[in-house]
Amino acid sequence: MGFFDDLGKKLSDASQDVMQKGKEMADTAKFNSQIHDEEKKITAVYGKIGKKYFEVFENAPSEEFKAFIDEIHAAQAKIAEIQEKLNALKNEGKAAVENAAADAKEAVSQAADKVENVAEGAADAAKQAAEHVENAAEQAVNKAEDAVDNAVNGN
């Protein structure tokens, strides 16, 4: 039994060591995460300090910050230039849409006029056809009356 007792003790010790190492690894990851979070806070504060410095000393920076201020001014100028291009593009697009809408409205108006003309022409043709049918009917009635008269009179 001594062998199994020793084996059980060794397994128990090994599992304790593994559990201890696992806890240490979890603690290490937790601490590294906390350090990373604090570093992110520091970076954000550095950004705030830089922005505040720029706002306060934009027109009179110390010599060691002048290059950074110039970089910001160059970027701001580039943004303004791009914004002008964007606005011009928007205006061109708006004008194109307005022109297309006006063209479409004109095309619809022309189509409506054509439909109206065709409808008037169709109405005139129908009126003429009705008059023609009426005349033909009158002629048929007259011929029928004449035929009846001839038949009655013996002609």
Side-chain angles (χ1 to χ4, degrees):
M1 282 292 226
F3 170 75
F4 289 113
D5 288 337
D6 285 343
L7 180 60
K9 183 171 176 11
K10 286 181 184 180
L11 287 175
S12 178
D13 290 345
S15 69
Q16 289 295 324
D17 287 344
V18 168
M19 286 178 26
Q20 183 62 31
K21 292 293 180 191
K23 184 180 181 314
E24 288 173 7
M25 288 176 65
D27 289 344
T28 299
K30 181 175 115 182
F31 293 146
N32 282 334
S33 176
Q34 289 174 345
I35 289 169
H36 179 71
D37 290 345
E38 294 304 315
E39 287 173 341
K40 282 174 48 178
K41 287 179 186 176
I42 290 170
T43 300
V45 172
Y46 281 156
K48 290 177 185 176
I49 291 170
K51 184 176 181 183
K52 188 66 171 177
Y53 181 89
F54 177 80
E55 291 169 354
V56 172
F57 297 106
E58 174 182 4
N59 295 319
S62 66
E63 223 19 72
E64 40 191 68
F65 290 99
K66 187 171 180 348
F68 298 124
I69 299 293
D70 291 344
E71 283 183 51
I72 291 172
H73 284 145
Q76 288 173 332
K78 186 69 174 178
I79 289 170
E81 179 184 322
I82 294 168
Q83 189 64 48
E84 286 179 22
K85 289 178 183 178
L86 180 62
N87 289 338
L89 186 62
K90 284 180 183 177
N91 290 336
E92 288 173 14
K94 183 179 178 183
V97 167
E98 288 171 353
N99 289 340
D103 291 347
K105 184 176 180 181
E106 179 63 26
V108 167
S109 176
Q110 289 175 357
D113 290 344
K114 287 180 182 178
V115 167
E116 185 177 340
N117 290 338
V118 168
E120 287 173 0
D124 288 344
K127 183 178 177 183
Q128 288 175 359
E131 288 173 0
H132 182 65
V133 167
E134 184 180 349
N135 288 338
E138 282 180 25
Q139 288 175 1
V141 168
N142 289 340
K143 284 183 182 179
E145 286 175 351
D146 287 346
V148 169
D149 283 345
N150 287 338
V152 171
N153 292 332
N155 290 337

